[in-house]
Amino acid sequence: MSSYLIFTFIILLCLLSSSFSSSASLHNATNESVTFRPQHEIQKLKLIREHLQKINKPAIKTIQSSDGDIIDCVPSHHQPAFDHPLLQGQRPMDPPEMPKGQSQENESHEDFQLWSLTGEFCPEGTIPIRRTTEQDMFRASSVLKFGRKIRRVRRDSSSNGHEHAVGYVSGSKYYGAKANVNVWTPHVSPELYGDTNPRFFTYWTSDAYQATGCYNLLCSGFIQTNNRIAIGAAISPVSSYKGGQFDISLLIWKDPKHGHWWLQFGSGTLVGYWPVSLFTHLMEHGNMVQFGGEIVNTQPDGSHTSTQMGSGHFAGEGFGKASYFRNLEVVDWDNTLIPISNLRVLADHPNCYDIRGGVNRVWGNYFYYGGPGKNSKCP
């Protein structure tokens, strides 16, 4: 099996299908009500509450975000990662050796999420974790599938309705990747978060989505080290059509000393890392890097989904209208960031979502991508 380093910060991805629970209510003249739940729903609620006990760790401080999210400040050594059998008893690593050749970004602030606009932050020695609610889990088709992608969503397969518009490089050994990602609020169907806000999220898997991995901190794996960024929380500000544009810089790279895969935001803000022990094919390096967008087309009513990718506009509309990735770079064997060469672009269904690449002195290698989904040429 090939090893893939997938640049997973496709900020505008949300899952499509929503699940709804049913119940019957009996009301009396005093406006009191009693809700009768089907037996299967009672059992699901029991499983949900047991699962929430595992993933929602005791907090020493709680912050209420304006979008309804609750951010828990959890002691870093009690975060979900350390429930993993391979990580139990460990504590977060010290900062790694940074890749050489990094340019200084203008946006290095950490206050790019809605919850941080409250002016409150988690104390040193803790990490902010978005609290998972019963409502979040009821939207999933099952407790087992909550926080996980549908199986087999590799770029070389368009099965299960997954459609992509990506830029990629292959044919070498890659030890990391970096890009600036344009942030928009596309029209999507909200399953994981219950709203359409763009989210700063991560996803990992070690077996091509078969049994391992999850979004954010919803299972044991990613070890967070930052106390000001909540993975899975909403991003602010966002870009507007023919208006102001906002992007964020993201870097993933392999620590040459310990082998862990680290995540950096902006010009030096470390978020955390995926321990090398989680992986098999990525223990040494990746042999492909991908950047871009992904949606799930469940073909509602037999037609293509109207879920948007990127800004919801095609690549040909250009700056201020179409979404972009810019300054595409990879990390080489010497832990040095270098511009991408031989970037290839590919869209599974270009009448629904397309992509156009380019290069210039300011943006380096870049591409515009996205689209509206269902339209006259994408019925």
Side-chain angles (χ1 to χ4, degrees), residues 284-307:
E284 298 298 330
H285 55 77
N287 61 17
M288 176 183 286
V289 179
Q290 300 177 3
F291 310 81
E294 177 187 43
I295 65 95
V296 180
N297 177 26
T298 56
Q299 293 186 315
D301 303 320
S303 60
H304 195 282
T305 179
S306 58
T307 293

Side-chain angles (χ1 to χ4, degrees), residues 14 17 23 35 79 82 85-86 94 102 108 113 117 127 132 140 159 162 169 178 180 216 230 243 264 308 318 323 370:
C14 281
S17 57
S23 63
T35 299
Q79 63 182 288
F82 297 122
L86 297 175
D94 291 331
Q102 285 205 76
S108 60
Q113 295 183 300
L117 300 181
I127 63 167
T132 301
S159 62
H162 286 255
V169 290
K178 184 179 182 181
N180 287 72
N216 309 326
Q264 174 188 287
Q308 297 176 339
S323 186

Side-chain angles (χ1 to χ4, degrees), residues 176-201:
K178 184 179 182 181
N180 287 72
V181 185
N182 194 201
V183 181
W184 292 78
T185 305
H187 172 73
V188 298
S189 297
E191 179 181 289
L192 186 57
Y193 304 104
D195 59 34
T196 59
N197 290 328
R199 304 270 175 168
F200 177 67
F201 76 86

Side-chain angles (χ1 to χ4, degrees), residues 55-57 63 65 67-74 113 115 127-133 135-137 139 146 191-195 199-200 216-218 224 229-234:
I55 63 175
N56 286 335
K57 303 297 185 181
I63 301 170
S65 176
D67 64 338
D69 280 356
I70 298 175
I71 306 299
D72 290 325
C73 301
V74 176
Q113 295 183 300
W115 75 275
I127 63 167
I129 301 180
R130 179 186 179 271
R131 184 185 299 178
T132 301
T133 65
Q135 290 75 17
D136 290 335
M137 296 196 66
R139 287 191 297 271
F146 175 72
E191 179 181 289
L192 186 57
Y193 304 104
D195 59 34
R199 304 270 175 168
F200 177 67
N216 309 326
L217 305 182
L218 295 177
Q224 185 164 335
I229 294 176
I231 300 175

Side-chain angles (χ1 to χ4, degrees), residues 217-234:
L217 305 182
L218 295 177
C219 67
S220 303
F222 185 83
I223 297 176
Q224 185 164 335
T225 59
N226 188 286
N227 71 321
R228 296 173 68 93
I229 294 176
I231 300 175

Side-chain angles (χ1 to χ4, degrees), residues 101 169 174 178 327-332 336-343 359 363-365:
V169 290
Y174 304 104
K178 184 179 182 181
N327 297 115
L328 308 182
E329 298 177 292
V330 293
V331 180
D332 69 6
T336 301
L337 270 166
I338 58 174
I340 277 180
S341 59
N342 300 317
L343 177 70
V359 59
W363 279 18
N365 285 278

Side-chain angles (χ1 to χ4, degrees), residues 38-192:
Q39 185 62 37
H40 74 275
E41 190 169 311
I42 294 174
Q43 181 61 27
K44 183 176 181 179
L45 182 59
K46 179 181 177 181
L47 293 174
I48 284 174
R49 288 175 175 171
E50 290 175 352
H51 191 68
L52 289 175
Q53 286 289 326
K54 295 179 181 179
I55 63 175
N56 286 335
K57 303 297 185 181
I60 65 172
K61 179 181 178 180
T62 295
I63 301 170
Q64 179 73 56
S65 176
S66 62
D67 64 338
D69 280 356
I70 298 175
I71 306 299
D72 290 325
C73 301
V74 176
S76 60
H77 59 285
H78 288 161
Q79 63 182 288
F82 297 122
D83 291 338
H84 195 289
L86 297 175
L87 304 175
Q88 288 179 352
Q90 297 186 23
R91 287 180 176 265
M93 298 284 293
D94 291 331
E97 177 186 345
M98 304 298 292
K100 299 181 285 290
Q102 285 205 76
S103 59
Q104 293 299 311
E105 301 287 342
N106 292 328
E107 51 85 12
S108 60
H109 59 86
E110 298 160 308
D111 305 343
F112 72 106
Q113 295 183 300
L114 281 176
W115 75 275
S116 64
L117 300 181
T118 63
E120 292 190 75
F121 296 96
C122 288
E124 292 292 333
T126 70
I127 63 167
I129 301 180
R130 179 186 179 271
R131 184 185 299 178
T132 301
T133 65
E134 291 181 4
Q135 290 75 17
D136 290 335
M137 296 196 66
F138 264 117
R139 287 191 297 271
S141 58
S142 72
V143 174
L144 182 62
K145 294 179 180 179
F146 175 72
R148 299 180 184 275
K149 285 188 179 184
I150 299 172
R151 293 182 180 183
R152 295 182 60 79
V153 288
R154 282 171 42 186
R155 197 355 284 156
D156 54 356
S157 172
S158 59
S159 62
N160 293 315
H162 286 255
E163 299 180 14
H164 310 80
V166 298
Y168 68 96
V169 290
S170 60
S172 187
K173 296 179 180 179
Y174 304 104
Y175 298 84
K178 184 179 182 181
N180 287 72
V181 185
N182 194 201
V183 181
W184 292 78
T185 305
H187 172 73
V188 298
S189 297
E191 179 181 289
L192 186 57

